[in-house]
Amino acid sequence: MSNPKRVLIADAEPLIAGLISRALQEVGYDTAQVYGGEEAIRWLSESPPPDLVICDYRMPGIDGAEVRDWMMEDRQLARIPFILMTGKTSSFKGWFEKPTNFTLFLTKPFQAQEVVIFARRALEAEAGASE
């Protein structure tokens, strides 16, 4: 990639965030890791916007859905593709009716290669939407 895409990874478990980060870096993405919803919001407030956010749902304090809700209040951040990671999809029944909020859902456990595939899909979907 000539101009690497920037990905923010938010997961309360540093090991998971690190695994995702390494998988994406191996294929040319630039990554930043935060370990909670509050940190994700702070990072998004203080840094240039990433091209993609990959965020776990279950985090102490502010969860992944709340991070996305906060992003949706800002016109620039609302356009960023958002992958929500979760161990359970049944609790997201109502959210599937709001396709603009989440670009993709990634169910745990997953393989590193799946994260790369999902990241590419989310970024391709965003590229197609902005054309």
Side-chain angles (χ1 to χ4, degrees):
M1 289 182 195
S2 58
N3 191 8
K5 297 290 186 182
R6 296 179 62 232
V7 181
L8 174 63
I9 302 158
D11 195 304
E13 297 183 42
L15 178 65
I16 301 288
L19 291 171
I20 294 168
S21 181
R22 278 190 294 287
L24 293 172
Q25 289 173 353
E26 286 177 5
V27 295
Y29 292 98
D30 183 22
T31 64
Q33 300 174 49
V34 296
Y35 308 108
E38 291 89 354
E39 281 187 60
I41 288 173
R42 186 170 33 258
W43 191 95
L44 289 162
S45 298
E46 298 172 355
S47 304
D51 298 295
L52 172 65
V53 174
I54 300 176
C55 188
D56 191 24
Y57 171 66
R58 290 187 178 262
M59 294 186 290
I62 296 174
D63 66 32
E66 292 170 309
V67 171
R68 185 55 170 170
D69 287 344
W70 179 85
M71 289 174 64
M72 294 300 288
E73 294 177 13
D74 180 284
R75 185 175 260 159
Q76 185 177 12
L77 296 177
R79 294 182 181 135
I80 297 170
F82 192 97
I83 297 174
L84 187 70
M85 299 182 292
T86 178
K88 295 175 73 173
T89 55
S90 61
S91 60
F92 300 108
K93 213 174 206 176
W95 292 348
F96 286 109
E97 296 167 8
K98 299 188 274 183
T100 57
N101 287 356
F102 304 106
T103 309
L104 294 167
F105 289 90
L106 181 59
T107 305
K108 292 179 176 180
F110 50 78
Q111 300 293 318
Q113 189 58 30
E114 289 177 279
V115 175
V116 172
I117 291 167
F118 272 64
R120 286 181 178 150
R121 282 185 190 163
L123 290 166
E124 287 169 5
E126 174 59 21
S130 63
E131 289 177 358

